[in-house]
């Protein structure tokens, strides 16, 4: 009896060891189309007997997607040859090609995920990964072309689907061999995808993509600008703002030559009324770089704002800072307008000295007229009112220049 029981156990063990595919897996692998197979896979995933069965199912649907991908790829190649030989071209399913590239990528990665899991004996015996790796590298690269197609069409969902998937899989070691090829375009793809994600209010995705863009030296500064803009828009409390200030400060300490980050830090100090920190940052910047336009412009703007709200303003230091900024960049209409405003404010304090007053307005006029030349439509700076003050104080009331500006201000 004991021998019989042992024999029976051996038979049971043998049948388990050589058990065939489960019925759900058989159904999936009998499907003739990708759509049918993937639907069966989604509805029966939990009924598949093991990770190995799931890997096999995903390999099957990936191969169906790759079949469509290869078919359209072949048509495309044949059509290129047909153009050379002036032969008839075949119909090409552009969107089907892109969709097949996407389907192959996402399902292939799922296959590899399960392929890397241990079997019932605790051993990992990957069956599909090596064969799929080069095929997925090729398919994933087409997601860049697909995303560009949808970007040209202004299709936000399409961009996020294709470029988003390309970027979401960028850190997957499966695609290590494609890294060198990606360097020529991944920064731009990440930068523009971040903008689409931000528009869709997918802020976590936007931040993820903009961080990828910042790794590209050619895109770093504009990506950094966008990252800071995203962060600023999402500040809701003072605590949020203080945390943001610390992150910008850390960014600036790592790259003290970055004027954009420096300007952002100073603007945050100003908005949070951290006057001591603001003054220290500007003074340190000027000491480090005496010809830094941003530092002088910020110093002048800060003093202008403070003078505008104090009972006893002293405009000389403000004017000096803005003049230095204007010397460094004579094409900035905002600085020129601020400078004109500051000189006018000083003139307004000298009501008992008409000659000195007129001299200041005449000096101010020079800067404000230059701002007008640079920015005639007042898109960046509203130079009109301070310039009107100058004309009104220097010329007769019926002077054509004064009349023209008066009409402009009344519109």
């Amino acid at each position: 009896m004991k021998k019989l029981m042992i024999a029976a156990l051996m038979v049971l063990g043998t049948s388990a060891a050589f058990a065939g595919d489960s019925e759900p897996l058989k159904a999936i692998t009998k499907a003739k189309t990708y759509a049918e197979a993937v639907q069966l896979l989604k509805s029966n995933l939990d009924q598949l007997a093991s990770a190995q069965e799931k890997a096999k199912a995903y390999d099957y649907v990936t191969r169906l997607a790759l079949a469509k991908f290869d078919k359209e790829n072949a048509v495309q190649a044949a059509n290129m040859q047909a153009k050379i030989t002036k032969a008839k071209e075949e119909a090409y399913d552009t969107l089907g090609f892109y969709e097949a590239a996407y389907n192959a990528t996402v399902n292939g990665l799922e296959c590899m995920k399960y392929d890397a899991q241990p079997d019932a004996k605790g051993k990992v015996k990957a069956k599909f990964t090596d064969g799929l790796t080069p095929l997925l590298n090729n398919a994933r690269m087409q997601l860049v072309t697909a995303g560009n197609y949808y970007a040209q069409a202004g299709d936000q969902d399409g961009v996020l689907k294709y470029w988003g998937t390309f970027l979401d899989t960028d850190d997957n070691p499966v695609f290590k061999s494609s890294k060198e090829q990606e360097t020529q375009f991944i920064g731009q793809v990440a930068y523009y995808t971040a903008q689409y994600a931000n528009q869709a209010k997918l802020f976590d995705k936007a931040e993820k993509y903009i961080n990828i863009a910042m790794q590209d030296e050619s895109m770093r500064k504009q990506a950094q600008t966008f990252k800071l803009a995203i962060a600023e828009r999402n500040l809701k409390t003072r605590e949020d703002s203080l945390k943001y200030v610390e992150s910008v400060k850390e960014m600036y300490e790592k790259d003290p030559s970055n004027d954009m980050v420096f300007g952002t830090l100073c603007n945050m100090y100003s908005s949070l009324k951290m006057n001591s920190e603001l003054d220290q940052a500007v003074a340190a910047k000027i000491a480090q770089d005496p010809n830094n336009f941003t530092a002088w412009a910020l110093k002048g703007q800060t003093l202008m704002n403070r003078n505008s709200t104090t009972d006893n303003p002293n405009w000389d230091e403000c004017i000096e800072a803005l003049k230095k900024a204007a010397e460094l960049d004579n094409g900035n209409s905002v600085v020129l307008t601020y400078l004109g405003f500051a000189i006018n404010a000083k003139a307004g304090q000298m009501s008992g000295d008409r000659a000195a007053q007129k001299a200041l307005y005449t000096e101010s006029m020079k800067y404000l007229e230059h701002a007008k030349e640079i920015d005639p439509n007042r898109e960046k700076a509203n130079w009109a009112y301070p310039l009107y003050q100058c004309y009104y104080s220097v010329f007769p009331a019926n002077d054509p220049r004064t009349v023209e500006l008066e009409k402009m201000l009344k519109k």
Side-chain angles (χ1 to χ4, degrees):
M1 176 66 77
K2 186 175 182 181
K3 289 182 179 180
L4 185 61
M5 288 184 66
I6 291 173
L9 288 171
M10 288 179 65
V11 171
L12 287 171
T14 303
S15 63
F18 294 97
D21 294 341
S22 67
E23 292 304 316
L25 179 57
K26 287 179 182 178
I28 294 166
T29 55
K30 286 179 181 178
K32 301 299 183 184
T33 66
Y34 171 82
E36 180 187 359
V38 80
Q39 181 58 41
L40 286 168
L41 174 54
K42 287 178 179 178
S43 58
N44 291 282
L45 183 62
D46 292 339
Q47 298 178 42
L48 295 176
S50 62
Q52 287 66 47
E53 282 210 338
K54 291 174 182 178
K56 186 173 182 179
Y58 272 109
D59 176 71
Y60 184 75
V61 297
T62 300
R63 298 287 175 173
L64 289 174
L66 286 168
K68 170 67 173 176
F69 178 83
D70 290 341
K71 176 187 173 184
E72 298 305 327
N73 205 17
V75 172
Q76 191 176 27
N79 285 344
M80 291 176 67
Q81 183 63 30
K83 284 181 180 179
I84 297 172
T85 60
K86 298 183 179 179
K88 183 179 179 181
E89 296 181 28
E90 294 183 53
Y92 172 63
D93 184 4
T94 304
L95 300 186
F97 177 66
Y98 295 152
E99 183 70 9
Y102 171 83
N103 291 336
T105 301
V106 296
N107 287 294
L109 289 175
E110 284 296 296
C111 172
M112 292 178 178
K113 180 181 77 176
Y114 289 112
D115 205 27
Q117 293 182 14
D119 58 20
K121 295 181 180 179
K123 295 183 178 180
V124 175
K125 296 179 181 179
K127 293 178 63 178
F128 309 106
T129 298
D130 288 347
L132 284 179
T133 295
L135 303 177
L136 294 196
N137 271 273
N138 188 28
R140 175 178 172 268
M141 200 59 68
Q142 297 305 319
L143 301 182
V144 178
T145 308
N148 187 60
Y149 172 89
Y150 285 100
Q152 294 292 329
D155 187 325
Q156 176 178 278
D157 292 340
V159 170
L160 292 174
K161 175 179 178 177
Y162 290 101
W163 276 354
T165 301
F166 176 79
L167 295 168
D168 287 339
T169 56
D170 183 61
D171 58 354
N172 194 309
V174 171
F175 304 115
K176 184 179 179 180
S177 63
S178 302
K179 284 292 184 183
E180 185 175 347
Q181 187 179 353
E182 292 175 14
T183 56
Q184 57 188 315
F185 54 77
I186 192 169
Q188 289 189 38
V189 169
Y191 177 71
Y192 291 113
T193 311
Q195 293 186 325
Y196 278 98
N198 186 59
Q199 290 169 13
K201 301 189 185 305
L202 301 173
F203 301 121
D204 289 344
K205 289 284 190 182
E207 184 171 2
K208 175 181 180 179
Y209 300 150
I210 208 64
N211 285 339
I212 295 174
M214 285 173 61
Q215 295 172 28
D216 182 341
E217 184 60 31
S218 66
M219 298 296 296
R220 185 173 61 84
K221 286 197 172 181
Q222 62 194 102
Q224 203 167 50
T225 301
F226 186 61
K227 179 177 180 176
L228 293 170
I230 293 173
E232 283 189 47
R233 282 198 296 269
N234 291 319
L235 298 177
K236 294 181 174 61
T237 66
R238 183 175 176 84
E239 184 180 0
D240 290 341
S241 298
L242 291 172
K243 287 180 180 177
Y244 175 62
V245 164
E246 287 304 311
S247 67
V248 177
K249 186 178 177 182
E250 183 180 343
M251 196 181 298
Y252 177 57
E253 287 171 351
K254 290 180 179 177
D255 186 8
S257 65
N258 192 319
D259 283 350
M260 183 272 298
V261 177
F262 168 70
T264 300
L265 179 62
C266 290
N267 286 333
M268 287 302 301
Y269 282 150
S270 178
S271 65
L272 292 168
K273 301 190 184 308
M274 300 171 69
N275 293 338
S276 176
E277 290 83 352
L278 173 59
D279 292 344
Q280 288 175 20
V282 171
K285 188 71 172 178
I286 291 173
Q288 173 204 352
D289 182 3
N291 291 319
N292 187 277
F293 165 78
T294 303
W296 285 109
L298 283 168
K299 180 176 181 178
Q301 179 185 357
T302 300
L303 292 171
M304 181 186 72
N305 291 337
R306 290 177 188 170
N307 281 334
S308 298
T309 58
T310 187
D311 293 333
N312 298 302
N314 183 341
W315 289 99
D316 289 336
E317 188 179 5
C318 172
I319 292 169
E320 181 186 357
L322 290 170
K323 280 185 176 180
K324 180 65 176 179
E327 287 174 12
L328 294 167
D329 182 358
N330 198 33
N332 190 299
S333 62
V334 174
V335 166
L336 292 168
T337 300
Y338 285 167
L339 177 53
F341 174 88
I343 295 173
N344 287 3
K346 180 179 178 180
Q349 292 179 311
M350 306 176 70
S351 57
D353 189 342
R354 177 63 184 153
Q357 214 176 26
K358 188 174 180 179
L360 286 171
Y361 281 122
T362 301
E363 181 186 10
S364 174
M365 191 190 311
K366 175 183 65 176
Y367 296 112
L368 291 166
E369 285 180 336
H370 189 35
K372 179 184 177 182
E373 290 174 11
I374 297 167
D375 185 16
N377 296 320
R378 295 179 288 172
E379 293 176 356
K380 295 181 179 178
N382 191 4
W383 43 260
Y385 183 73
L387 184 57
Y388 172 73
Q389 283 182 307
C390 296
Y391 287 164
Y392 187 82
S393 300
V394 174
F395 304 125
N398 61 352
D399 186 277
R401 288 164 289 191
T402 309
V403 173
E404 180 189 4
L405 272 183
E406 189 171 11
K407 287 180 180 178
M408 181 186 294
L409 291 170
K410 287 181 178 178
K411 286 182 181 179

